[in-house]
């Protein structure tokens, strides 16, 4: 497998590039429109063809690059059926493995952050989206979020994966890149150890997080597979601009 973890600094999103060495086909999990050119350059450098973009859920903090990638390189759009993204070419469901070249992803329905949120398991790696973050989890106060559902998704499904499964989240705000199922089982302060559902409900109800500043634009845009809204205020314009790299060496 060819594998790269890529970072988008505006929303602290990780995009995962995964390629099949046998066929040269690749996927991007949770690609961001602002770093699309960077991701395409990386695919080109690796000699891979983008077959699919795959989102873990309808994001509220960035615009997915799914639609623009389809326009640029003809990649198909895969999304969780449970998120009801009508423009997706492939509707992913739990229990139905998703094949790309010689790779086989196992989609897992992990609701709680959003009702239709999915995790994708590929061999020893789990791409956990916003269901399970490193020593954290996604918020549960928008998009049909549900703390009880998230508790069951993480402890019932993700913590049931083999202990050495690598946990690759959709975000990290402290430059941590990867964890393991065992590590989160033991150390996740919200969901690990012997946390009860009552304790978790209380933690999530008392986070006091600010209203997500991009949600009113991102969610409608992402329900259309990644459309930048025309009425974007100037201070949010950077969410739809390309972040290009100027390398110095
Ligand atoms: Fe999210």
């Amino acid at each position: 497998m060819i594998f790269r973890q890529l970072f988008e600094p505006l929303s602290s999103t990780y995009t995962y590039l995964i390629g099949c060495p046998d066929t040269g086909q690749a996927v991007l999990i949770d690609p961001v429109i602002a770093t699309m050119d960077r991701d395409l350059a990386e695919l080109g450098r690796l000699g891979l063809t983008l077959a699919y973009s795959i989102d873990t859920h309808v994001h509220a903090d960035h615009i997915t690059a799914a639609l623009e990638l389809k326009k640029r390189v003809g990649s198909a759009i895969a999304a969780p059926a449970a998120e009801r993204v009508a423009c997706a070419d492939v509707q992913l469901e739990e229990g139905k493995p998703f094949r790309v070249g010689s790779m086989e992803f196992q989609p897992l329905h992990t609701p709680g952050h959003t009702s239709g949120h999915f995790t994708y398991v590929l061999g020893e790696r789990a791409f956990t989206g916003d269901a399970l973050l490193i020593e954290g989890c996604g918020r549960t106060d928008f998009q049909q979020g549900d703390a009880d559902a998230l508790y069951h998704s993480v402890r019932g499904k993700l913590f049931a994966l083999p202990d050495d499964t690598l946990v690759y989240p959709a975000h990290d705000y402290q430059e941590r890149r990867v964890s393991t199922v065992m590590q989160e089982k033991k150390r996740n302060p919200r969901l690990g150890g012997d946390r009860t559902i009552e304790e978790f409900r209380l933690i999530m109800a008392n986070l006091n997080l600010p209203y997500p500043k991009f949600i009113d634009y991102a969610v409608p845009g992402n329900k259309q597979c990644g459309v930048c809204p025309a009425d974007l205020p100037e201070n949010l314009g950077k969410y739809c601009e390309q972040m290009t790299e100027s390398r110095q060496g």
Side-chain angles (χ1 to χ4, degrees):
M1 185 209 302
I2 296 157
F3 180 70
R4 287 291 313 266
Q5 183 181 34
L6 302 157
F7 185 65
E8 188 282 310
L10 205 55
S11 58
S12 297
T13 298
Y14 286 123
T15 295
Y16 298 97
L17 181 164
I18 306 157
C20 166
D22 306 323
T23 62
Q25 286 194 303
V27 306
L28 288 172
I29 295 181
D30 289 337
V32 181
I33 203 158
T35 36
M36 181 181 78
D37 285 353
R38 184 268 319 264
D39 298 354
L40 286 173
E42 191 61 20
L43 285 160
R45 198 180 67 76
L46 293 164
L48 299 168
T49 302
L50 186 66
Y52 294 94
S53 60
I54 311 176
D55 276 287
T56 52
H57 62 293
V58 172
H59 301 279
D61 60 347
H62 66 264
I63 302 272
T64 174
L67 186 60
E68 287 302 316
L69 287 166
K70 182 176 182 173
K71 288 184 192 165
R72 282 272 282 277
V73 299
S75 49
I77 299 171
E83 286 288 61
R84 301 178 196 279
V85 178
C87 48
D89 301 299
V90 180
Q91 301 285 342
L92 298 168
E93 292 174 56
E94 185 169 311
K96 291 190 181 167
F98 178 62
R99 292 193 71 94
V100 182
S102 59
M103 307 182 296
E104 192 173 90
F105 294 84
Q106 308 294 335
L108 286 181
H109 187 201
T110 46
H113 171 63
T114 71
S115 55
H117 184 289
F118 264 58
T119 291
Y120 305 109
V121 178
L122 177 65
E124 65 181 359
R125 292 173 171 82
F127 301 96
T128 57
D130 288 359
L132 178 60
L133 304 179
I134 299 169
E135 294 183 12
C137 65
R139 62 196 296 172
T140 53
D141 47 354
F142 290 98
Q143 299 178 277
Q144 295 84 49
D146 180 334
D148 284 24
L150 188 57
Y151 184 89
H152 294 302
S153 292
V154 172
R155 292 187 62 112
K157 282 190 183 172
L158 300 181
F159 286 177
L161 294 169
D163 278 345
D164 285 340
T165 303
L166 297 166
V167 171
Y168 284 102
H171 302 283
D172 193 83
Y173 305 97
Q174 297 171 50
E175 296 183 40
R176 296 166 300 192
R177 291 180 163 264
V178 62
S179 183
T180 67
V181 163
M182 158 72 86
Q183 192 171 334
E184 294 311 312
K185 259 188 201 171
K186 288 217 161 131
R187 308 174 73 112
N188 192 297
R190 295 186 189 171
L191 287 151
D194 50 11
R195 274 271 175 259
T196 64
I197 195 163
E198 290 80 13
E199 288 169 334
F200 181 62
R201 269 183 214 141
L202 218 60
I203 290 168
M204 297 312 285
N206 291 303
L207 289 179
N208 293 315
L209 295 168
Y211 186 79
K213 59 178 182 278
F214 195 44
I215 190 171
D216 294 328
Y217 301 97
V219 169
N222 287 331
K223 284 191 171 153
Q224 298 171 75
C225 289
V227 172
C228 274
D231 59 341
L232 202 56
E234 208 171 323
N235 64 321
L236 297 174
K238 52 189 184 295
Y239 283 92
C240 284
E241 286 162 11
Q242 277 301 304
M243 283 180 206
T244 47
E245 290 176 348
S246 61
R247 297 183 54 168
Q248 302 296 313

